[in-house]
Amino acid sequence: MSAATMLGRRTLIAGSAALVAGAAVSARAQSGTACPNDRAGWIPSDELIREIPRLMRIAGVPGIAMAVVDGRRLAWSRSFGVKNILTGDPVDDETLFEAASMTKPVFAYVAMRLADEKRLDLDTPLVAYCRPAHLGDDPNLERITARHVLEHSTGLPNWASEPLVTRSAPGSRYSYSGEAFIWLQLVIETIMGMGLGSVMKAKLFDPAGMRHSSFGWDEAIAEAGVFGHSEPPEGEQALPAQPTRELGDRLLRVASKWRKPIASWTYEDSIAAMRETDPKTPPSTHDLLVNSAGGLLMTASDYARFMLLMMDRPARADWEIGEASRQAMLTPQIEVRGRDIARGLGWELEQSPGGPLFQHSGSNYGIFKTLGVGDARNGRAIIVFTNAANGNALAARIVREATGIDRLKSLI
């Protein structure tokens, strides 16, 4: 089957509802596993692995990378398909995906490290550290703290044009916000005196062995990264706009001129560079390459290495967050859909039939869809990165098939 036919196929099973619900009998059901088993691992069965290419064709998803934590170790990884339907370059273990909003828990972990080091107080108003110029005239802004940011209760919108104001009182209710994460990014850059990418490298990527994780853009990232795919009409061979790639290539000229890699840029560097390359368009926080809310570029295996840090275990390295901080990340702080779906610090939490889960999904520009689900108590996690618009439905289906758990989140 040609690449164009693979992507162009329109049989998405009634808008992918059947793909999520599982029109085909699951591999676990075929094997006689009728309900979740705490002792069962989450490594995909041979039946599911054989099924994935067919599900990819149905969903119009050209490329997937997956990784599984089992027994509190990175136990399995696998890639399928291609980075780009026009070139046919295969996805492999070192292919970089846009983690999208799955960036947020990774950033939250580093924020908790700084809290453990007494550099950041979770309950001190952010304005005490840094007052961005684009804040509006709103007394609620004086009360927003890092805790509010990490649990998504700032009252700020997800993304907004200037000036920035709240829609509800901080701490009063769930309000998902990327803007809030960018403000906390500014705070952490101010505290540490360096750009976000440098902070993340020092505090997490290097000690955790996450060698294929970065904020920024360079020629190596461009070569290793996937392209995002929409769902074109039958037979059309074209790619949608690639905002991250296009902005990264544009900003590389500035990085070369400044002799300063984009991965080391501060927020102010990013804004200045965007203005320099496009003076007529006001810079948007949503479009920052070095972006704590959704800018992480990485492999599925590196995300699994990160999720390992959240697992219950008796001992931790000196550089890891303390047990109280880990528990705070995994303890409901604010309800989202009653007590069944809540927010911890950085993670979404769900009370599933198989026990408590920590999880996050992501979507960048509608063409990069990601999902990670973990079970800290039993030391398991599964990560699915995709490069297409319908990747969220496919990822949810794969996770259900692999884990045997019907996640409540997949219903909403």
Side-chain angles (χ1 to χ4, degrees):
M1 179 178 291
S2 72
T5 302
M6 178 180 71
L7 186 62
R9 191 167 176 174
R10 304 287 292 189
T11 55
L12 296 184
I13 314 182
S16 304
L19 183 63
V20 177
V25 179
S26 75
R28 286 182 180 268
Q30 291 172 347
S31 66
T33 304
C35 60
N37 182 345
D38 282 350
R39 294 184 298 278
W42 287 0
I43 295 174
S45 65
D46 291 342
E47 293 90 342
L48 176 55
I49 292 171
R50 286 193 292 269
E51 182 81 348
I52 285 175
R54 186 181 77 87
L55 296 176
M56 290 171 67
R57 288 194 300 272
I58 292 171
V61 176
I64 291 181
M66 299 171 57
V68 173
V69 171
D70 190 55
R72 294 170 177 79
R73 64 184 180 87
L74 175 56
W76 183 90
S77 64
R78 185 78 178 266
S79 56
F80 302 82
V82 298
K83 299 179 186 178
N84 180 332
I85 60 165
L86 301 183
T87 65
D89 295 334
V91 177
D92 60 32
D93 287 343
E94 296 187 356
T95 296
L96 301 180
F97 285 76
E98 295 193 25
S101 285
M102 284 176 67
T103 301
K104 292 181 176 74
V106 184
F107 173 70
Y109 188 92
V110 169
M112 298 304 288
R113 274 210 70 184
L114 299 183
D116 282 352
E117 295 171 2
K118 309 301 183 186
R119 295 173 184 252
L120 173 68
D121 188 304
L122 296 182
D123 298 306
T124 293
L126 298 187
V127 291
Y129 297 100
C130 173
R131 183 183 292 272
H134 61 285
L135 295 189
D137 183 13
D138 177 358
N140 279 337
L141 298 172
E142 306 294 322
R143 299 170 46 203
I144 293 173
T145 67
R147 189 181 303 278
H148 293 141
V149 173
L150 298 180
E151 71 184 14
H152 288 283
S153 70
T154 62
L156 294 171
N158 189 15
W159 299 109
S161 57
E162 299 179 3
L164 190 61
V165 295
T166 61
R167 296 173 176 173
S168 58
S172 64
R173 65 180 181 87
Y174 170 68
S175 57
Y176 189 86
S177 177
E179 289 282 359
F181 270 69
I182 298 298
W183 188 358
L184 185 54
Q185 172 183 335
L186 271 165
V187 167
I188 287 178
E189 289 185 349
T190 300
I191 290 170
M192 298 298 292
M194 63 180 76
L196 174 67
S198 299
V199 176
M200 298 295 292
K201 189 173 188 298
K203 293 295 182 181
L204 177 59
F205 299 159
D206 283 352
M210 296 167 64
R211 297 185 300 108
H212 301 289
S213 300
S214 177
F215 287 88
W217 193 258
D218 58 27
E219 289 83 358
I221 290 173
E223 177 67 23
V226 296
F227 286 71
H229 300 77
S230 57
E231 186 207 341
E234 185 72 31
E236 180 179 327
Q237 292 195 39
L239 294 176
Q242 306 288 318
T244 299
R245 186 174 291 272
E246 291 161 10
L247 178 60
D249 290 345
R250 193 176 90 209
L251 295 183
L252 274 178
R253 297 192 296 270
V254 180
S256 177
K257 174 184 172 183
W258 291 355
R259 298 183 180 179
K260 186 175 186 180
I262 295 173
S264 68
W265 285 5
T266 63
Y267 172 90
E268 288 81 6
D269 289 333
S270 295
I271 295 297
M274 290 165 74
R275 284 177 174 150
E276 182 172 329
T277 60
D278 187 6
K280 296 181 180 179
T281 305
S284 167
T285 52
H286 186 208
D287 295 327
L288 291 174
L289 285 181
V290 184
N291 181 329
S292 62
L296 187 53
L297 296 151
M298 67 191 313
T299 62
S301 293
D302 263 15
Y303 208 94
R305 292 182 178 93
F306 165 64
M307 291 185 80
L308 271 169
L309 304 177
M310 304 309 305
M311 302 303 171
D312 292 358
R313 47 192 165 87
R316 299 188 181 276
D318 290 343
W319 62 266
E320 294 183 53
I321 61 173
E323 181 62 14
S325 290
R326 186 186 73 94
Q327 289 290 346
M329 293 186 73
L330 299 178
T331 299
Q333 309 286 330
I334 194 162
E335 292 183 356
V336 177
R337 303 273 179 148
R339 288 175 293 178
D340 294 301
I341 298 179
R343 278 278 169 178
L345 298 183
W347 291 106
E348 183 175 72
L349 308 174
E350 177 178 320
Q351 295 301 319
S352 80
L357 302 175
F358 64 98
Q359 59 193 13
H360 216 287
S361 60
S363 174
N364 267 9
Y365 307 107
I367 54 175
F368 298 99
K369 301 295 181 76
T370 58
L371 177 62
V373 180
D375 174 352
R377 181 184 62 185
N378 291 299
R380 301 179 297 203
I382 183 168
I383 298 92
V384 184
F385 284 175
T386 79
N387 65 346
N390 203 37
N392 56 337
L394 179 57
R397 171 68 181 274
I398 289 172
V399 167
R400 196 196 72 167
E401 297 278 351
T403 67
I405 296 172
D406 278 317
R407 296 165 47 250
L408 298 173
K409 182 64 176 179
S410 66
L411 304 177
I412 57 177

